[in-house]
Amino acid sequence: MSIMSKRNLLDASTLTADRTYTTDVVIIGTGAGGGYTAEVLTKAGLKVIMVEEGAYHTAKTFSQNEAEATAMLYQQGGAQKTKDKGIVVLQGRCVGGGTTVNWTSSIRTPANTLKHWREHHGLKVFSDDELAPYFTEVEKRLNMNPFEEFEPNANNSILAKGCAALGYEWHRINRNVNGCANSGLCGLGCPINAKQSQMVTTIPWALDNGAMLISKARADRLIHDGQKISAVEITALDTSAVNDTNHKITITAKHFVIAAGAMRSPALLMKSQIPDPSSMLGKRTFLHPVIAVAAEFEHKIDGFYGAPQTVNSHEFLWPKQTSKNPNDNKMGFKLETIPVTPMLAGAFFDKGIGKSHASRMKSLPHLNVIDALCRDGFNDTEACGTVEIDSNGNPTLDYPITQTLIETARNVIDKVFEIQFAAGAKTVSAWHIDNPKFTTLKAAKSWLKTADLGLLKGMYGSAHVMGGCQMGKDEKSGVVDTNGRHFTIKNLSIHDASIFPSSTGVNPQLSIYATTLRNTKNLTKHLT
Amino acid sequence: MDTTPLNLRRRSFLKLSGLGLFSLVGGGYIAARLTDGTAKALLPKATNLSPASQQMLLKIFDAILWDMMPKEQDPLLLTSAIATLDKGISALPPAIQKELIGLLDMLTFAPSRFALAGRWSGWENASRDEVSAWLIALQTSSFELRRLIYITMHDISTSSFYANPQTWSLVGYNGPLLHGPGPEV
Ligand SMILES: Cc1cc2nc3c(=O)[nH]c(=O)nc-3n(C[C@H](O)[C@H](O)[C@H](O)COP(=O)(O)OP(=O)(O)OC[C@H]3O[C@@H](n4cnc5c(N)ncnc54)[C@H](O)[C@@H]3O)c2cc1C
Ligand code: SF4
């Protein structure tokens, strides 16, 4: 008998009638926050039902083909963009959410970020030590360790080499893997279960210990009386997990944990007309906007093989304000790499046609791509993002390309050009609709000085959506308290990236896990 | 440096279909109903793409990807990319499916194509040079909507093309190192 047949699973597309369930806690979404919550609550002896909009794929059904995998595992089949279409936004949509498709970088929340939360948002509880025991526990549970089994691939080594040549800080990245074969296609789901996503760790543990999982099921509305939620209404999707069926599922529970990710958690509260005394619901969404630069090298890089992210640089993450730049509002950024696979390079990065497109793609094995994650949400001149519900009832994110973002991008591209040439690049190209390519640093910089990096000229991406249900010190300054509990609705918690009051500044999964673990442990004290 | 955030109230948003494009072409047409009904289907069974859209995409994909192709396989690789796109559209949320299909219908429709710079008499008569010039005009346009159409055409063609493992050797990629299916946990 397969393991799956012993578990309490419901694929909602198979329903032939409406269903109702009663449980202690229902968790909406099974990503970093939802999966971890399920294990901790189940361990505490609570009856848990997990609800997931995406399908339940495992190594048995993953595809190593980029187009197939993005259609199966990503929000909007990988086509999600901000409202003005200026930023491509990648999020997981499957059991395990973003953790099933992420690139395994495992980094603690920086002390400077926690300091900002204390000083600018009044979240005094987040002392430097507050999360330390939770980081340690998560790192052990998910095998987050220095990755010493293999040397960084050539794509990552170029970042290290360029930084070293210019005297910039760089270091290797911890990863949440066990028995990694260094194949490189983490973004398509790990075919050997080496990646310690929620799909292979906490979710199976919770299922094997009595929790239930309903997949292809979208939570649409929380039924409440302004103080307490009584039930959640769910629409069953069809086999493709794309279209609605006529069947509904209603779950009544003592407590409701929303972990639908930082666009859909605020959207669910907005659609349910959950009280919003701070008016912060759906406001201040952060993306860690990604700026990317490609370079061509004489030697082979094969950037499609090898663990995708093993080296990063925090040299520019916390720029010092000097007397020369007292009003410098540019965002700080960290540097890392993007795997150079045919679809990411050919469709996501490249923007040329004919000879221009082909000349880039024929050099694919010689391409390196370095990207910056911009630390958004720390600066008053940023607009950040706002979640809206469109006329079809779907969430969209309005995240304008501000002057602050444009000047940050110019700064990033300038630094990365220097790093790539210092590492021996033959040509460099910014991610831009004009598909520019330069053979000298001088020519590249001269283009950059006046290049239009505005909407649909400069290209921007994101794989880290945060905020929208931010923690506050009281109901006037945030949607939830520092335990993720909603200020007004007593049996509602938010356990995902949406509770952050700024971006984390580094890849967020460990920050989500640690805050979730802390908040779930606190929650169990009230529920058991 | 100008650090003023954008004035959110003054921004307008692009829509691929509907008002955005209609206003661009002068409004009022029901494009999908007026497209070329005589176009021959490339795909024996298509779920989402009309025969006219398939013929148009063949021209557009060719203009974007011609230099990637080993000569003898040209039509097959492009038709296969169009089939991948047809299938891929079904995996998109219904609202995006509608938007994309609406855009394609509108581009097959002469008045809107004219407004977007293509002056040839029908997609079947367009030369590669003409379609390339049209794409470059969109790419370099000062109108955001036109650039968005360019990016959409570029991205749907290339993502569908590189989905086919037969194209991987053309870019020096030997395919995934690991193959499924792996064990369920
Ligand atoms: C390609 C990629 C690479 C990444 N690489 C890294 C990395 O290397 N390191 C790192 O730290 N971070 C990485 N991230 C980011 C990280 O994975 C995410 O930040 C994290 O998974 C977010 O966790 P979450 O709990 O907020 O939401 P998610 O993980 O996004 O989970 C939310 C889940 O809720 C489901 N859902 C949404 N709405 C509903 C609804 N109404 N009803 C039911 N279910 C719903 C979604 O389908 C999804 O499965 C990466 C992300 C991507 C996309
Ligand atoms: S590099 Fe390959 S084996 Fe290692 S975690 Fe990623 S997908 Fe799995």
Side-chain angles (χ1 to χ4, degrees):
Chain A
M1 213 162 47
S2 87
I3 329 171
M4 291 296 175
S5 63
K6 293 185 209 146
R7 293 176 178 163
N8 191 0
L9 302 176
L10 173 67
D11 173 343
S13 69
T14 61
L15 284 184
T16 51
D18 292 355
R19 291 270 180 97
T20 55
Y21 295 94
T22 301
T23 188
D24 289 333
V25 185
V26 57
I27 303 171
I28 307 300
T30 60
Y36 220 108
T37 303
E39 178 173 84
V40 177
L41 293 180
T42 304
K43 227 174 235 173
L46 290 155
K47 255 177 78 182
V48 168
I49 298 180
M50 291 172 262
V51 179
E52 169 56 52
E53 187 184 6
Y56 195 170
H57 287 290
T58 66
K60 197 173 160 187
T61 48
F62 285 157
S63 166
Q64 295 296 284
N65 180 306
E66 288 178 276
E68 285 170 14
T70 40
M72 280 158 64
L73 304 174
Y74 284 70
Q75 200 58 254
Q76 306 195 344
Q80 181 170 262
K81 291 187 177 179
T82 47
K83 188 176 174 184
D84 62 14
K85 322 275 187 196
I87 308 180
V88 180
V89 183
L90 299 178
Q91 282 183 298
R93 181 182 186 262
C94 53
V95 170
T99 77
T100 300
V101 296
N102 79 20
W103 296 343
T104 73
S105 295
S106 303
I107 305 172
R108 292 185 177 200
T109 323
N112 279 345
T113 301
L114 296 174
K115 182 166 174 258
H116 182 83
W117 293 1
R118 290 194 299 272
E119 293 178 357
H120 291 262
H121 298 280
L123 307 179
K124 300 261 179 307
V125 67
F126 289 106
S127 66
D128 286 348
D129 300 333
E130 176 64 20
L131 291 175
Y134 304 102
F135 288 140
T136 306
E137 189 174 335
V138 171
E139 284 161 347
K140 198 161 161 230
R141 173 70 181 102
L142 302 180
N143 228 44
M144 292 175 164
N145 289 310
F147 184 58
E148 285 160 352
E149 297 88 320
F150 294 91
E151 284 303 307
N153 70 1
N155 195 38
N156 280 271
S157 300
I158 284 165
L159 174 58
K161 188 176 170 194
C163 284
L166 296 172
Y168 296 153
E169 183 280 340
W170 67 272
H171 59 278
R172 286 175 65 166
I173 307 177
N174 286 8
R175 303 182 64 221
N176 58 318
V177 292
N178 188 1
C180 171
N182 210 32
S183 70
L185 297 181
C186 296
L188 313 187
C190 177
I192 57 167
N193 297 316
K195 174 169 32 178
Q196 299 298 288
S197 69
Q198 301 304 279
M199 194 278 293
V200 306
T201 57
T202 54
I203 293 170
W205 191 93
L207 289 172
D208 292 338
N209 288 276
M212 179 185 186
L213 169 60
I214 308 178
S215 55
K216 300 186 187 168
R218 186 189 61 240
D220 279 334
R221 193 170 296 275
L222 303 162
I223 313 294
H224 65 94
D225 61 7
Q227 285 168 355
K228 215 167 169 246
I229 299 172
S230 53
V232 55
E233 279 180 0
I234 293 158
T235 300
L237 304 178
D238 67 0
T239 349
S240 67
V242 169
N243 304 298
D244 294 5
T245 67
N246 291 328
H247 296 300
K248 302 279 173 208
I249 303 167
T250 307
I251 308 179
T252 54
K254 289 186 196 133
H255 199 88
F256 295 78
V257 175
I258 312 304
M263 234 174 105
R264 287 169 181 78
S265 285
L268 179 58
L269 269 62
M270 288 160 76
K271 281 172 78 173
S272 309
Q273 294 174 330
I274 293 286
D276 177 25
S278 65
S279 301
M280 295 297 291
L281 182 60
K283 308 276 164 47
R284 289 183 59 76
T285 303
F286 319 110
L287 289 178
H288 275 168
V290 167
I291 322 287
V293 186
E296 209 181 317
F297 284 75
E298 196 64 61
H299 63 280
K300 253 187 155 193
I301 295 168
D302 286 347
F304 30 72
Y305 294 141
Q309 288 179 336
T310 49
V311 166
N312 67 167
S313 167
H314 291 189
E315 177 73 24
F316 306 101
L317 189 51
W318 307 102
K320 286 191 195 72
Q321 298 240 316
T322 62
S323 51
K324 253 167 76 192
N325 65 351
N327 298 316
D328 189 346
N329 290 308
K330 290 194 283 286
M331 298 175 215
F333 57 90
K334 64 159 276 189
L335 295 172
E336 55 176 31
T337 61
I338 294 183
V340 193
T341 54
M343 209 170 91
L344 278 181
F348 193 72
F349 187 87
D350 182 84
K351 287 291 168 272
I353 67 167
K355 280 205 175 304
S356 155
H357 174 75
S359 84
R360 172 158 1 252
M361 290 309 287
K362 285 177 186 166
S363 70
L364 187 79
H366 296 262
L367 281 188
N368 150 260
V369 180
I370 293 177
D371 74 289
L373 296 182
C374 301
R375 179 171 56 73
D376 53 346
F378 286 71
N379 190 324
D380 294 340
T381 59
E382 293 163 42
C384 302
T386 306
V387 176
E388 295 172 3
I389 309 294
D390 71 13
S391 53
N392 300 305
N394 300 319
T396 57
L397 182 67
D398 178 10
Y399 192 111
I401 310 283
T402 58
Q403 205 54 37
T404 299
L405 180 54
I406 289 171
E407 291 317 316
T408 302
R410 208 179 303 282
N411 189 28
V412 164
I413 297 168
D414 184 58
K415 297 290 184 296
V416 179
F417 279 164
E418 287 176 4
I419 289 170
Q420 286 167 325
F421 275 120
K426 264 183 5 183
T427 69
V428 294
S429 309
W431 192 18
H432 193 277
I433 193 169
D434 294 345
N435 229 29
K437 201 185 215 181
F438 306 100
T439 50
T440 66
L441 183 58
K442 196 169 162 223
K445 280 187 177 253
S446 139
W447 169 82
L448 183 61
K449 231 183 223 164
T450 54
D452 181 351
L453 303 176
L455 179 62
L456 298 169
K457 280 281 197 180
M459 298 286 122
Y460 300 86
S462 167
H464 300 165
V465 193
M466 294 159 279
C469 295
Q470 78 168 60
M471 293 181 279
K473 59 180 191 301
D474 52 36
E475 64 169 20
K476 288 198 198 77
S477 59
V479 176
V480 295
D481 67 16
T482 52
N483 286 315
R485 302 284 293 263
H486 193 268
F487 278 114
T488 318
I489 305 278
K490 294 300 167 214
N491 62 343
L492 170 62
S493 299
I494 313 289
H495 285 193
D496 62 18
S498 56
I499 66 170
F500 299 149
S502 72
S503 70
T504 47
V506 295
N507 317 53
Q509 68 168 346
L510 182 48
S511 304
I512 304 167
Y513 290 135
T515 49
T516 296
L517 174 59
R518 172 183 177 276
N519 295 349
T520 312
K521 283 190 168 177
N522 288 337
L523 178 63
T524 56
K525 290 183 203 144
H526 295 271
L527 295 180
T528 49
Chain B
M1 185 177 66
D2 175 13
T3 54
T4 333
L6 282 183
N7 182 339
L8 296 180
R9 241 170 274 142
R10 278 182 36 226
R11 296 167 64 223
S12 61
F13 291 95
L14 304 173
K15 277 219 169 107
L16 273 176
S17 58
L19 274 184
L21 258 184
F22 276 126
S23 57
L24 194 79
V25 299
Y29 303 103
I30 309 167
R33 299 279 164 274
L34 297 176
T35 48
D36 180 5
T38 60
K40 243 180 78 196
L42 284 173
L43 309 175
K45 257 203 277 168
T47 314
N48 298 298
L49 298 171
S50 67
S53 292
Q54 295 171 30
Q55 291 291 352
M56 172 187 75
L57 287 169
L58 185 65
K59 295 284 181 174
I60 294 177
F61 282 25
D62 170 75
I64 295 172
L65 291 159
W66 64 270
D67 198 28
M68 273 317 303
M69 282 178 296
K71 285 289 169 273
E72 70 282 8
Q73 283 193 39
D74 286 7
L76 270 185
L77 283 179
L78 291 185
T79 317
S80 140
I82 294 167
T84 303
L85 174 66
D86 182 64
K87 194 165 150 231
I89 291 175
S90 300
L92 298 171
I96 301 188
Q97 289 188 24
K98 236 172 90 186
E99 208 171 71
L100 182 55
I101 292 170
L103 169 68
L104 296 177
D105 281 341
M106 223 139 354
L107 291 178
T108 57
F109 173 55
S112 35
R113 196 188 65 241
F114 267 46
L116 290 165
R119 297 281 163 189
W120 53 87
S121 60
W123 280 101
E124 67 283 5
N125 300 321
S127 70
R128 178 183 290 161
D129 284 349
E130 281 173 326
V131 180
S132 302
W134 172 72
L135 284 166
I136 287 167
L138 292 178
Q139 179 188 25
T140 53
S141 168
S142 55
F143 293 104
E144 288 158 1
L145 180 66
R146 291 175 191 220
R147 298 202 298 276
L148 178 59
I149 293 170
Y150 172 79
I151 292 168
T152 308
M153 292 303 119
H154 176 278
D155 294 1
I156 60 173
S157 66
T158 49
S159 58
S160 311
F161 185 73
Y162 297 112
N164 182 352
Q166 278 178 298
T167 64
W168 295 347
S169 61
L170 307 176
V171 293
Y173 174 53
N174 289 329
L177 292 180
L178 296 173
H179 296 276
E184 276 176 334
V185 283

